Amino acid sequence: MFLRSRTESDLLKLLGFLNGRMSLTEDVLKQYLYLKKGYEGEVAFDQLTAANLNQDIFILNDIMLEICQSKFKIDSSLIIQDTIIPCEVKNFEGNYFYKDGEFLLCDAKTQITNPLHQVKRAEILLQQYLKKNGFHFRIIPYLIINPKFFLYQAPQNDTIIFPPQLSSFMEKLNLRPSNQNGIQQRKLADKMIADHIIESPYPKLPPYNYHSLKKGLTCAMCGSFLISCSERKDACTVCGFEEEIESAIVRGVEELKMLFPDFELPLMVFLIGVRWLALGKPFERF
Ligand SMILES: [Zn+2]
């Protein structure tokens, strides 16, 4: 049972908006694509846990905690009986090989940050967090690997779950005794949810301002600006997606609000509502 669902982070949303409205530098674009791919992998894992795990297993998605001034993020935390299972979901693609404790890309021989180190760090910090808050749970961490990743000379490490092992991994979890009355488990879940840290995305964004961004409504499906409109509907000339004009404008206002949180709302409604006015409709409806 999901006690905390996953949504796109504000940073990912904002980078997506900016990617459509300005040219990102290579580094920022890389960061955006990395976050996007990671999010897609996490959502794919959520679909598997939702479909395959017993309902009484508590699942907390996307939690960031802090202990002793160190922050750590857990992609999915499964709470079963006396155990908490932090899962780090990695959406790597390509062929890698494992050598001397490192993950190396086969073609380029470039090294990626060893995700097992990240798993270990989260385990140690989670241990400290549980202790500080008086919880007595065992921690069994896992690294979940996506289907497009292949690791040659993979280490015999029970922490890593490769795609062919996912179904037996979940079957094993389902064999564990249920959460019974689940009071301690629920207490831990509620505490972690209450302590979840929301970081401001704005310091991590490249510089931008209203005048430098490309203006206009975008397609909800493909992000294209090539939209034609009739009396009631917008239609994308690239992918053909149709949307009610009201919904497209509300979406545009939401985007502006996120990109420019200091703007006053009437100004935003005015900026985005110009086209709406041109159609002869009062924008007071928003
Ligand atoms: Zn489209």
Side-chain angles (χ1 to χ4, degrees), residues 1-267:
M1 168 197 327
F2 284 154
L3 296 184
R4 188 172 193 280
S5 307
R6 189 182 313 279
T7 52
E8 262 188 324
S9 69
D10 285 350
L11 179 62
L12 177 55
K13 274 188 209 164
L14 283 159
L15 285 172
F17 296 153
L18 292 177
N19 186 39
R21 295 183 185 275
M22 66 187 270
S23 9
L24 301 179
T25 62
E26 201 182 323
D27 281 351
V28 177
L29 184 62
K30 225 187 238 178
Q31 183 201 8
Y32 166 58
L33 296 176
Y34 178 81
L35 288 176
K36 191 164 177 270
K37 206 177 354 160
Y39 177 70
E40 288 163 2
E42 288 158 14
V43 169
F45 183 65
D46 295 345
Q47 286 165 352
L48 286 177
T49 54
N52 296 296
L53 288 184
N54 288 343
Q55 270 303 301
D56 67 346
I57 296 176
F58 294 157
I59 306 173
L60 310 181
N61 288 324
D62 216 6
I63 290 271
M64 184 182 279
L65 299 170
E66 183 170 7
I67 185 83
C68 302
Q69 295 176 334
S70 297
K71 288 180 186 152
F72 62 106
K73 181 176 169 284
I74 307 175
D75 291 334
S76 287
S77 306
L78 314 179
I79 304 176
I80 312 172
Q81 242 211 0
D82 63 345
T83 308
I84 175 163
I85 301 175
C87 297
E88 174 66 32
V89 182
K90 281 293 176 211
N91 209 8
F92 297 137
E93 280 183 20
N95 296 323
Y96 289 77
F97 67 95
Y98 186 84
K99 193 180 173 195
D100 301 332
E102 301 302 340
F103 288 64
L104 300 152
L105 190 59
C106 278
D107 302 334
K109 301 281 187 291
T110 44
Q111 193 175 316
I112 50 171
T113 310
N114 187 334
L116 289 170
H117 296 166
Q118 202 179 336
V119 169
K120 192 69 201 165
R121 178 180 180 272
E123 180 188 359
I124 292 167
L125 293 172
L126 181 60
Q127 186 73 63
Q128 292 175 11
Y129 173 85
L130 294 181
K131 195 172 170 194
K132 187 189 165 205
N133 292 292
F135 289 105
H136 304 283
F137 282 79
R138 279 194 308 155
I139 302 174
I140 305 180
Y142 283 102
L143 171 65
I144 311 290
I145 302 287
N146 99 331
K148 291 180 185 166
F149 176 86
F150 192 82
L151 185 65
Y152 293 99
Q153 300 165 33
Q156 285 219 332
N157 187 327
D158 293 342
T159 303
I160 307 179
I161 304 295
F162 290 100
Q165 298 170 301
L166 266 172
S167 70
S168 66
F169 167 67
M170 295 203 184
E171 278 165 21
K172 265 190 213 159
L173 294 182
N174 284 336
L175 287 176
R176 286 168 172 259
S178 71
N179 272 339
Q180 295 167 355
N181 60 21
I183 293 174
Q184 273 307 308
Q185 292 82 358
R186 188 70 205 217
K187 254 189 177 172
L188 172 60
D190 289 346
K191 176 70 181 155
M192 288 172 71
I193 291 168
D195 287 348
H196 170 64
I197 296 167
I198 299 170
E199 285 188 312
S200 169
Y202 297 99
K204 296 177 184 164
L205 295 175
Y208 62 91
N209 60 56
Y210 179 76
H211 299 287
S212 67
L213 295 184
K214 188 170 176 184
K215 314 295 187 302
L217 292 174
T218 54
C219 167
M221 199 54 68
C222 71
S224 162
F225 283 87
L226 300 172
I227 287 177
S228 67
C229 64
S230 61
E231 180 71 8
R232 298 199 54 77
K233 278 187 176 172
D234 272 340
C236 174
T237 52
V238 176
C239 74
F241 181 73
E242 287 190 346
E243 184 179 18
E244 295 286 329
I245 287 177
E246 286 185 29
S247 139
I249 291 180
V250 168
R251 214 165 31 77
V253 171
E254 287 303 321
E255 188 174 336
L256 265 180
K257 258 163 81 177
M258 279 193 77
L259 285 167
F260 302 100
D262 298 334
F263 272 22
E264 293 294 323
L265 187 66
L267 174 61

